[in-house]
């Protein structure tokens, strides 16, 4: 083990866990690399590690441990406190602190906190808090990283733990390393590995509880469940705990059952042998209560003049509303809450627009809002409805982990709300949305229950309809829509019927090919052909059922990039680990980022990769992306939110549309071939669809209508609360009659 002390002269690469830099010692400048958190140019550090030869970058010093030497003299303390590392402290304040606290200033600040700075001129409460937080985090996080690196944990993990547990981090983690699973930092198996290294007993209650909790959440989020049956949970947890364990260390079913009852007080809810993570139970319960409250109310104020309004609207628009659409408009004015469902070509767009226009005609002063679960869906809704729309997240002011701006206490100013693509809304988002609404808000839920359900737990739209909430289903496909092979074949697939393709028409193609690699090549060739015909990258959606395999999104993205956006000297690139981003690449946002205005599923194009000078007068790497006219800037640490978007999964395509859709249909995707998946993919196309694969794969998908049942009690809960509410209104509750 070698040790070097020096100043960082250049930072070559940095992300939240890793640093490559030049270190200037008394003798030489060397390249160092490792998990060195928060070190900047000009800082002095002591590093320990081993030399290694990198095949591309040559001789490097791999850092195994490091530390900032703690300032000892008054001059060093002033320089440290006045540096950019310490927030809220300038040179003047640094001098006053050193004068009052002496050479133990940093230790005193760490131990005594804000009170150690009381009475020092120019340092108020806010500034004192910033100084204390900076000093503590700089040295405490450094110690935590040093302790946890031994177990393979990263700098960003240490920071997350420090934010949660502060100075108690090391003690808490060493007592119970399974705390890492509670914060979703690692999975149970990795926590188990760390625990073994620490000597934690396999029969530890911490281990058993963590496994039960982890298996419960994993089952819910992987399958879209809100709960898991108790017997199933016990069996899965028992397999996870006793895998590769000697008999003496095996966990019994009795111990597992005891764990479930321990957790019931804090993290889980058990109801009729259904085991919920507590937060999912709360979301489901809150949605049910609010919906049952709104269900019992009828509006009906505009009914006397409604027929006249419909006639007036039809005359103005030059249209005649069919029977079902007229019923939907009537029900909207009668009900406080209405669900509108229907497949492609059934007139949902026409009905939504009629509802909005007539509502504004009757109530010109009332506040109308439109929302959808994704950015793509909200933009589409805005176009078809003729009114401004936003994401549900933006509507209620929600960012992950925070309380929304509009919630159960602070209500959203809104008289009439339209929510489109409701099939994509999970139970958490539904709960947050319903919490934000006033009891009197009129709400229209719009969706297609035959499309894929939400990615996260819950099956909200389907459950609301099962519970008997006011619903109008549009089933008639209008003549103009019937002429589209895209719409007619989507309905055929949904009905379990084979495709019917008229080769004299130019909107539906099936290219037969059974080899997955050749399917991928044909997808690339088809994309190039459409570009030759004048279609842009944003006009073409390439949708695959799976990520893996020759015709999966991962392989397709690499092939499509090389064909559509090959490297050349005029295009800048970022290499980040094994990932490459190139100017001109099509990318997809995979996480909601409200501060940037982009959301999960938004697709854009990289327009620029360059260096810019930031506010600290430092040169930083910047990447700009265009998302349908919105320019968004990323630094390298932000790119974990992006993936290549030339090809995306059908799940990711929900809520979006494009003129051209290309889909592989191969038996190599057997596990994902299902009717609702293919139906969802096909209904994304506006002008043309190209299926490339085998008839057999299509037949498998069309015949597979075994929808994976999602464990949810939302429908039952709505019905129960509604019945109770009705009994209460009738006076039977508590009257001795019920």
């Amino acid at each position: 083990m070698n040790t070097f002390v020096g100043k960082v002269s250049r930072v070559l690469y940095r992300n939240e866990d890793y640093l490559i830099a030049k270190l200037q010692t008394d003798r030489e400048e060397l390249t160092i690399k490792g998990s060195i958190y928060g070190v900047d140019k000009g800082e002095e550090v002591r590093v320990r590690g081993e030399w290694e030869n990198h095949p591309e970058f040559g001789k490097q010093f791999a850092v195994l441990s490091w530390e900032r030497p703690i300032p000892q003299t008054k001059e060093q303390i002033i320089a440290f406190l006045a540096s950019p590392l310490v927030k809220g402290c300038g040179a003047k304040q640094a001098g006053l602190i050193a004068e009052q606290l002496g050479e133990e200033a940093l230790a005193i600040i760490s131990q005594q906190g804000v009170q150690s700075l009381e009475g020092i001129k120019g340092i108020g409460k806010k500034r004192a808090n910033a100084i204390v937080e900076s000093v503590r985090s700089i040295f405490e996080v450094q110690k935590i990283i040093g302790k946890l690196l031994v177990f393979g944990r990263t700098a960003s993990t240490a920071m997350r733990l420090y934010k949660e547990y502060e100075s108690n981090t090391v003690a808490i983690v060493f007592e119970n390393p399974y705390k890492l699973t509670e914060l979703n930092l690692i999975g149970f198996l990795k926590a188990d590995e760390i625990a073994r290294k620490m000597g934690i007993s396999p029969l530890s209650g911490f281990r058993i509880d963590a496994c039960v909790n982890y298996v419960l959440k994993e089952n819910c989020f992987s399958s879209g469940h809100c709960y898991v049956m108790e017997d199933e949970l016990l069996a899965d947890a028992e397999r996870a705990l006793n895998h590769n364990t000697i008999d003496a260390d095996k966990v019994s079913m009795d111990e597992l059952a005891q764990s479930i009852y321990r957790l019931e007080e804090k993290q889980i809810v058990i109801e009729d042998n259904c085991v919920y993570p507590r937060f999912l139970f709360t979301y489901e319960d809150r949605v049910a209560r609010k919906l049952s409250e709104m269900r019992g109310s009828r509006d009906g104020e505009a009914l006397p003049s409604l027929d006249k309004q419909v006639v007036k609207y039809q005359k103005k628009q030059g249209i005649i509303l069919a029977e079902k659409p007229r019923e939907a408009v009537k029900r909207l004015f009668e009900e406080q809450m209405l669900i509108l469902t229907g497949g492609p070509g059934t007139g949902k767009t026409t009905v939504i627009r009629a509802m909005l226009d007539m509502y504004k005609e009757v109530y010109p002063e009332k506040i109308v809002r439109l929302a959808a679960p994704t950015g793509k869906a909200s933009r589409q809704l805005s176009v078809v409805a003729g009114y401004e729309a936003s994401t549900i997240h933006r509507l209620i002011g929600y960012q992950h982990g925070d309380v929304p701006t509009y919630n159960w206490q602070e209500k959203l100013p809104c008289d009439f709300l339209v929510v489109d693509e409701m099939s994509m809304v999970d139970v958490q988002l539904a709960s947050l949305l319903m919490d934000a609404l006033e009891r009197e808000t009129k709400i229209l839920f719009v969706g297609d229950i035959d499309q894929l359900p939400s990615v996260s737990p819950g099956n909200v739209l389907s459950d609301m309809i099962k519970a008997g909430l006011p619903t109008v289903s549009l089933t008639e496909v209008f003549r103009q829509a019937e002429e589209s092979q895209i719409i007619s074949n989507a309905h055929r697939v949904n009905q379990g019927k084979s495709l019917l393709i008229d080769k004299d028409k130019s909107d539906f193609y099936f290219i037969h090919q059974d080899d997955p690699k050749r399917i991928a090549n044909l997808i690339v060739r088809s994309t190039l052909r459409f570009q030759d015909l004048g279609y842009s990258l944003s006009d073409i959606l390439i949708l695959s059922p799976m990520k893996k395999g020759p015709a999966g999104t991962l392989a397709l993205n690499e092939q499509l990039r090389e064909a559509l956006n090959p490297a050349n000297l005029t295009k800048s690139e970022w290499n980040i680990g094994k990932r490459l981003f190139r100017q001109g690449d099509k990318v997809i946002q995979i996480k909601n980022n409200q501060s940037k205005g982009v959301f999960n599923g938004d697709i854009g194009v990289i327009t620029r990769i360059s260096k810019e000078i930031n506010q600290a007068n430092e040169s930083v790497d910047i990447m700009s992306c265009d998302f349908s006219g919105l320019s968004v800037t990323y630094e390298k640490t932000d790119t974990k939110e992006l993936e290549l978007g030339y090809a995306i999964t059908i799940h990711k395509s929900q809520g979006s549309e494009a003129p051209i859709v290309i889909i592989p249909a191969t038996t190599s995707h057997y596990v994902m071939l299902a009717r609702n998946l293919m139906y969802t993919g096909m209904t994304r196309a506006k002008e043309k669809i190209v299926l490339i694969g085998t008839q057999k794969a299509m037949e498998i998908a069309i015949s597979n209508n075994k929808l994976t049942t999602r464990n949810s009690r939302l429908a039952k809960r709505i019905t129960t609360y509604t019945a109770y509410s009705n009994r209460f209104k009738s006076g039977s509750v508590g009257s001795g009659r019920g």
Side-chain angles (χ1 to χ4, degrees):
M1 181 90 63
N2 297 292
T3 301
F4 293 99
V5 178
K7 281 191 176 180
V8 176
S9 54
R10 281 183 291 163
V11 175
L12 305 177
Y13 170 76
R14 179 206 305 280
N15 66 24
E16 59 187 328
D17 287 323
Y18 200 72
L19 179 82
I20 300 176
K22 291 289 186 180
L23 186 72
Q24 182 65 57
T25 70
D26 291 341
R27 299 179 181 178
E28 60 180 321
E29 187 179 60
L30 53 116
T31 303
I32 60 172
K33 64 168 192 173
S35 292
I36 309 173
Y37 169 76
V39 170
D40 286 312
K41 179 181 175 181
E43 280 196 74
E44 185 174 301
V45 292
R46 178 181 289 110
V47 295
R48 299 180 186 86
E50 304 284 356
W51 286 105
E52 65 175 38
N53 278 303
H54 191 280
E56 185 177 348
F57 302 110
K59 192 176 183 183
Q60 295 181 332
F61 189 72
V63 177
L64 299 176
S65 65
W66 67 278
E67 62 183 19
R68 292 182 177 93
I70 296 177
Q72 300 292 330
T73 67
K74 185 177 177 181
E75 291 74 19
Q76 288 174 338
I77 289 168
I78 293 172
F80 172 79
L81 289 172
S83 75
L85 287 169
V86 181
K87 295 176 183 177
C89 191
K92 185 177 179 181
Q93 289 79 24
L96 293 172
I97 291 170
E99 192 68 40
Q100 180 159 316
L101 302 182
E103 294 182 354
E104 297 296 317
L106 299 181
I108 293 169
I109 291 171
S110 290
Q111 290 163 15
Q112 297 181 17
V114 173
Q115 68 182 53
S116 66
L117 302 175
E118 287 177 0
I120 298 178
K121 189 177 179 181
I123 301 180
K125 188 176 181 181
K126 187 175 179 181
R127 180 169 279 186
N129 277 321
I131 294 169
V132 170
E133 188 178 331
S134 295
V135 171
R136 282 178 172 171
S137 66
I138 287 165
F139 294 107
E140 288 185 8
V141 173
Q142 177 179 301
K143 291 176 185 175
I144 292 164
I145 292 172
K147 296 277 188 182
L148 296 183
L149 281 178
V150 183
F151 302 105
R153 297 300 85 217
T154 62
S156 59
T157 298
M159 274 303 297
R160 282 280 308 279
L161 288 165
Y162 177 73
K163 285 178 183 176
E164 187 74 19
Y165 304 123
E166 297 184 336
S167 58
N168 297 317
T169 298
V170 172
I172 288 171
V173 172
F174 272 69
E175 179 192 17
N176 179 12
Y178 298 98
K179 286 282 186 183
L180 295 167
T181 64
E182 292 179 18
L183 299 177
N184 296 319
L185 295 172
I186 58 174
F188 174 75
L189 293 178
K190 192 66 185 177
D192 225 18
E193 182 185 314
I194 294 170
R196 281 196 299 273
K197 290 178 182 177
M198 290 180 174
I200 304 288
S201 167
L203 300 177
S204 161
F206 290 139
R207 178 175 185 255
I208 299 169
D209 290 356
C211 184
V212 169
N213 211 7
Y214 182 78
V215 168
L216 175 59
K217 288 181 185 176
E218 188 70 16
N219 282 359
C220 286
F221 279 87
S222 63
S223 302
H225 297 320
C226 289
Y227 66 83
V228 176
M229 297 307 297
E230 187 172 345
D231 290 347
E232 183 184 339
L233 176 61
L234 287 169
D236 288 349
E238 193 270 339
R239 277 193 295 272
L241 285 165
N242 293 335
H243 178 68
N244 290 335
T245 304
I246 61 172
D247 288 344
D249 291 335
K250 287 191 184 295
V251 176
S252 69
M253 279 294 186
D254 284 344
E255 288 169 310
L256 272 167
Q258 288 301 315
S259 171
I260 286 179
Y261 301 133
R262 275 198 305 272
L263 290 168
E264 190 175 8
E265 295 299 316
K266 297 177 182 177
Q267 294 170 301
I268 67 174
V269 173
I270 304 174
E271 184 182 70
D272 299 333
N273 293 320
C274 304
V275 186
Y276 285 81
R278 180 169 287 278
F279 60 93
L280 289 180
F281 176 87
T282 302
Y283 291 140
E284 187 180 278
D285 190 65
R286 292 179 77 93
V287 171
R289 287 177 184 272
K290 190 64 171 281
L291 288 172
S292 65
E293 284 175 16
M294 297 180 79
R295 177 186 195 172
S297 176
R298 288 173 68 84
D299 196 343
E301 291 176 19
L303 282 178
S305 62
L306 182 59
D307 288 337
K308 289 180 182 178
Q309 290 292 337
V310 171
V311 171
K312 181 180 175 182
Y313 178 78
Q314 290 180 143
K315 211 176 264 188
K316 184 178 178 182
Q317 299 296 324
I319 61 171
I320 298 294
L321 294 174
E323 183 183 347
K324 275 288 185 181
R326 285 174 71 95
E327 179 195 339
V329 173
K330 180 181 178 183
R331 293 287 299 278
L332 175 79
F333 282 93
E334 289 178 342
E335 307 286 356
Q336 189 70 27
M337 171 177 54
L338 181 68
I339 300 168
L340 179 68
T341 69
T346 57
K348 285 202 307 289
T349 298
T350 302
V351 176
I352 294 168
R353 193 151 199 164
M355 288 173 165
L356 286 164
D357 288 347
M358 278 189 260
Y359 184 87
K360 286 299 286 182
E361 182 74 22
V362 175
Y363 303 114
E365 302 302 318
K366 295 210 172 183
I367 300 170
V368 175
R369 297 181 184 270
L370 286 72
T374 67
K376 293 178 299 184
S378 67
R379 285 191 289 273
Q380 182 66 21
L381 175 61
S382 182
V383 169
V384 301
Y387 292 79
E388 185 180 347
S390 71
T391 63
I392 297 172
H393 292 79
R394 178 173 284 173
L395 179 76
I396 62 175
Y398 174 62
Q399 296 197 54
H400 183 70
D402 295 331
V403 175
T405 304
Y406 299 108
N407 50 62
W408 62 94
Q409 293 176 312
E410 186 69 26
K411 300 297 184 179
L412 175 74
C414 178
D415 298 301
F416 176 31
L417 173 65
V418 178
V419 183
D420 198 11
E421 297 288 357
M422 193 62 196
S423 63
M424 298 171 61
V425 176
D426 58 69
V427 70
Q428 178 191 16
L429 190 56
S431 175
L432 296 174
L433 175 63
M434 298 309 295
D435 278 348
L437 299 181
E438 293 280 9
R439 169 65 184 77
E440 297 78 18
T441 301
K442 183 184 287 292
I443 183 165
L444 173 69
F445 298 109
V446 184
D448 183 348
I449 57 171
D450 294 317
Q451 288 191 25
L452 294 168
S454 59
V455 175
S456 294
N459 201 1
V460 178
L461 179 63
S462 179
D463 285 342
M464 290 195 303
I465 294 170
K466 282 180 190 172
L469 298 184
T471 302
V472 175
S473 298
L474 304 177
T475 55
E476 180 187 355
V477 179
F478 292 99
R479 187 178 300 169
Q480 188 177 356
E482 274 186 330
E483 293 174 3
S484 163
Q485 292 192 97
I486 297 169
I487 291 174
S488 61
N489 275 314
H491 282 284
R492 289 186 67 83
V493 166
N494 201 31
Q495 294 159 9
K497 298 176 182 177
S498 299
L499 301 175
L500 278 182
I501 302 173
D502 183 348
K503 293 182 180 178
D504 291 333
K505 292 184 176 181
S506 60
D507 61 347
F508 204 106
Y509 300 90
F510 196 118
I511 301 173
H512 294 272
Q513 178 55 251
D514 59 1
D515 182 87
K517 289 184 179 178
R518 290 181 178 176
I519 290 172
N521 290 334
L522 284 168
I523 288 172
V524 174
R525 287 170 57 188
S526 297
T527 307
L528 290 168
R529 175 61 179 150
F530 281 120
Q531 281 201 320
D532 289 342
L533 292 171
Y535 290 97
S536 68
L537 263 181
S538 59
D539 292 331
I540 305 168
L541 265 181
I542 296 159
L543 308 178
S544 180
M546 294 182 69
K547 286 189 172 184
K548 296 181 180 179
T553 59
L554 296 176
L556 283 172
N557 269 314
E558 293 301 328
Q559 282 185 253
L560 287 160
R561 192 221 318 255
E562 293 315 305
L564 303 172
N565 188 34
N568 64 47
L569 295 176
T570 66
K571 296 176 184 174
S572 302
E573 294 182 352
W574 272 0
N575 278 289
I576 304 172
K578 295 180 180 179
R579 306 168 73 216
L580 170 68
F581 292 99
R582 180 180 296 152
Q583 189 177 340
D585 273 346
K586 189 175 183 180
V587 291
I588 182 169
Q589 179 82 13
I590 59 171
K591 289 183 179 179
N592 290 332
N593 190 323
Q594 194 154 321
S595 63
K596 291 183 184 293
V598 286
F599 299 89
N600 186 6
D602 284 353
I603 293 177
V605 176
I606 298 173
T607 55
R608 185 167 59 96
I609 296 175
S610 61
K611 288 187 179 294
E612 290 186 3
I613 303 299
N614 65 12
Q615 292 179 340
N617 204 33
E618 298 171 328
S619 177
V620 292
D621 292 315
I622 293 294
M623 183 168 79
S624 296
C625 297
D626 177 71
F627 289 90
S628 303
L630 174 68
S631 182
V632 179
T633 300
Y634 296 84
E635 294 186 20
K636 285 188 174 179
T637 52
D638 300 326
T639 55
K640 58 183 178 294
E641 297 181 0
L642 288 175
E643 289 179 355
L644 289 180
Y646 295 98
I648 63 174
T649 62
I650 294 175
H651 280 88
K652 283 285 186 187
S653 74
Q654 286 177 273
S656 63
E657 290 184 343
I660 309 295
V661 168
I662 304 172
I663 304 175
T666 167
T667 51
S668 66
H669 291 162
Y670 182 83
V671 295
M672 289 298 292
L673 292 177
R675 187 183 299 177
N676 63 347
L677 189 84
M678 199 58 68
Y679 171 77
T680 300
M682 290 170 64
T683 54
R684 303 306 93 203
K686 292 196 289 186
E687 294 180 18
K688 299 177 190 293
I689 188 165
V690 181
L691 298 175
I692 304 176
T694 66
Q695 193 67 42
K696 183 179 179 181
M698 280 302 300
E699 288 172 359
I700 291 169
I702 292 169
S703 62
N704 179 14
N705 196 32
K706 296 176 182 176
L707 302 177
T708 304
T709 302
R710 291 193 164 196
N711 295 343
S712 165
R713 306 187 96 197
L714 178 59
K716 182 179 180 181
R717 221 176 283 284
I718 294 169
T719 305
T720 301
Y721 284 137
T722 303
Y724 182 84
S725 177
N726 290 340
R727 288 172 62 204
F728 185 82
K729 286 177 184 176
S730 68
S732 62
V733 175
S735 67
R737 289 181 289 151

